[in-house]
Amino acid sequence: MDRVNATTPATPAGDPGDPARAAFAALRTPEGEHLLAELRDHDPADELATATRLRRTHPAELVSAALRQARLRQRAVAKFGAEDAYRMYFTPNGVEQATRTSVAEHRAARFAALGVRSVADLCCGIGGDAVALARAGISVLAVDRDPLTAEVARANAAALGLGELIEVRCADVTEIDTSPYDAVFVDPARRGGRGRIFDPEAYSPPLSWATAAALKAPRAALKIAPGIPHEAIGPEAEAEWISDGGDVKEAVLWYGEGIAPGSFRATLLPSGATLTAPAPLPAPPVGPVGRYLYEPDGAVIRAHLVADIVERCGGRLVDETIAYVTSDVPYSSPYVAGYEITDRLPFNMKRLKALLREREVGVLTVKKRGSAVEPEELRRRMKLAGPNAATVFLTRVAGAPTMLIGRPLG
């Protein structure tokens, strides 16, 4: 979401001279709404000609604001879907940092299943999570310090017909009394002027403050970066990593009633498949490459649950530092992609090229873990031709650079 540091001064809520807020207000007039509707399907490549045409009948500042908003809406379709994105309003940071709808809906469903009926959404940004919570039947207090961001969140609640369930407040989240609410959700800012912030104590507000706020609530969830070190997670939390379509999107720390403290969870969307462990698992065995290779979903890897996959398939790791699992019998699971391995070679470009030419491979999927080779560069050097397809894994086996060639199971 588009979040502002809780301790950073922001434009005062009553300041009417903020150009960004003035431009946003103009977009919500009948003239602004008409322009946005006209620009819904415009081609950004024709933007100069479009702007010239529209400025003949509309103020230049309004046209510029509408074109910016139209671009943001087009970008937002990937996260919110076209039906919502073209009714909502966005800021540049809001589009970039907003929670994907599928992930927000999953989290809202978990809150609802826990019996939560009201949530204090702290650092609400443009309101994506608040929208998902409200659609799950939960009333929301959505708080953000930045006046423009709060106005955008309020406009989005109204545009989607959720204004009665979402109260938006422009305030410092550290000053909000959350005691009247069943649960707290905190999504701290994890970006600064120099890009991503990796130190949880440099989040805004810091993870320590967010954790303290969570522990005061009956139930709580804290959104954090997926790469957070496990040692930074307190024993009171259940840690959940969420992937969508195979891409890890975020991690969430859950607290309170109905939560299993100290446990780890990997959730895969859109299926909703969930793998859990009550505590960190012991290191899995390592052994030779078998007939089958399994690539765990990124959420499983981040949650340190690869050992669970190893146990389920009766397999082993190909290397103690690489999250590829191998076995001698086929194994099917929503948590892995499986492959049948046909060849194992020491890393050698010429040998790989000769093998692919012999097999008439014209389509090559390149996967890598523990290798510095770039997939596109490898494909270019192979000079592929032929009707067949193959997958090559560039990795390490027992510490040695290795190429594994195979094909997907099923």
Side-chain angles (χ1 to χ4, degrees):
M1 298 300 178
D2 183 18
R3 290 167 181 83
V4 171
N5 190 308
T7 58
T8 298
T11 303
D15 180 5
D18 182 348
R21 292 176 64 200
F24 179 65
L27 289 178
R28 302 196 67 204
T29 64
E31 185 179 11
E33 291 176 354
H34 174 78
L35 265 178
L36 287 174
E38 184 176 345
L39 289 169
R40 171 175 173 139
D41 298 318
H42 93 287
D43 185 349
D46 298 330
E47 190 162 293
L48 180 59
T50 301
T52 301
R53 174 177 58 81
L54 292 176
R55 283 171 179 159
R56 296 185 187 123
T57 52
H58 300 282
E61 294 82 0
L62 178 59
V63 171
S64 296
L67 285 167
R68 286 194 299 271
Q69 190 62 221
R71 290 195 299 270
L72 294 175
R73 285 180 167 184
Q74 289 180 347
R75 287 171 53 193
V77 168
K79 287 187 175 181
F80 289 88
E83 184 176 353
D84 281 352
Y86 285 112
R87 290 190 290 165
M88 296 173 67
Y89 298 90
F90 301 95
T91 64
N93 286 344
V95 171
E96 184 175 347
Q97 299 180 39
T99 303
R100 184 177 293 265
T101 293
S102 57
V103 179
E105 289 175 344
H106 163 73
R107 182 165 40 246
R110 281 203 72 183
F111 269 127
L114 291 168
V116 170
R117 293 295 173 261
S118 61
V119 171
D121 178 2
L122 308 181
C123 310
C124 70
I126 61 169
D129 283 286
V131 165
L133 290 164
R135 283 176 169 168
I138 298 170
S139 62
V140 185
L141 170 66
V143 184
D144 202 285
R145 177 166 182 136
D146 179 56
L148 173 60
T149 303
E151 288 183 19
V152 171
R154 190 175 295 112
N156 287 336
L160 299 178
L162 299 169
E164 292 186 2
L165 282 170
I166 301 173
E167 174 195 349
V168 179
R169 190 178 302 174
C170 183
D172 186 327
V173 298
T174 64
E175 299 174 358
I176 296 297
D177 177 13
T178 61
S179 61
Y181 299 89
D182 295 341
V184 168
F185 173 59
V186 189
D187 186 357
R190 295 177 301 282
R191 286 183 178 272
R194 297 183 179 181
R196 292 183 184 273
I197 297 172
F198 297 98
D199 177 7
E201 283 307 296
Y203 291 173
S204 177
L207 182 60
S208 57
W209 179 90
T211 301
L215 292 173
K216 294 176 185 176
R219 297 176 184 85
L222 310 183
K223 180 178 172 181
I224 55 175
I228 187 171
H230 279 223
E231 56 269 22
I233 300 171
E236 311 91 347
E238 172 201 293
E240 178 183 28
W241 281 261
I242 304 170
S243 68
D244 189 7
D247 294 328
V248 181
K249 295 301 180 184
E250 66 178 57
V252 184
L253 302 183
W254 292 89
Y255 299 83
E257 301 168 15
I259 302 302
S263 64
F264 296 83
R265 176 189 296 254
T267 299
L268 281 55
L269 301 177
S271 70
T274 297
L275 189 66
T276 61
L281 301 171
V286 180
V289 177
R291 182 175 177 181
Y292 302 98
L293 189 76
Y294 305 102
E295 180 182 29
D297 183 272
V300 173
I301 296 172
R302 293 282 193 177
H304 292 188
L305 295 177
V306 174
D308 188 287
I309 299 296
V310 171
E311 182 177 346
R312 287 168 182 254
C313 74
R316 54 207 174 263
L317 296 181
V318 300
D319 184 278
E320 64 180 359
T321 65
I322 303 294
Y324 282 141
V325 179
T326 187
S327 73
D328 303 309
V329 294
Y331 169 70
S332 178
S333 164
Y335 306 109
V336 301
Y339 300 83
E340 183 177 12
I341 298 303
T342 57
D343 301 270
R344 171 184 169 179
L345 306 169
F347 182 81
N348 185 296
M349 288 283 200
K350 289 184 178 180
R351 289 187 63 181
L352 177 62
K353 184 176 181 180
L355 185 147
L356 297 177
R357 184 170 59 246
E358 177 186 332
R359 304 273 173 87
E360 297 185 303
V361 172
V363 178
L364 182 66
T365 300
V366 182
K367 294 180 172 289
K368 67 168 192 169
R369 284 189 181 147
S371 172
V373 177
E374 291 299 326
E376 287 303 321
E377 173 63 13
L378 183 142
R379 271 190 288 265
R380 186 186 65 80
R381 293 178 63 178
M382 292 301 102
K383 298 181 179 179
L384 301 166
N388 299 320
T391 300
V392 60
F393 296 86
L394 307 177
T395 187
R396 293 193 303 271
V397 174
T402 303
M403 301 182 298
L404 305 174
I405 296 90
R407 52 180 172 261
L409 289 175

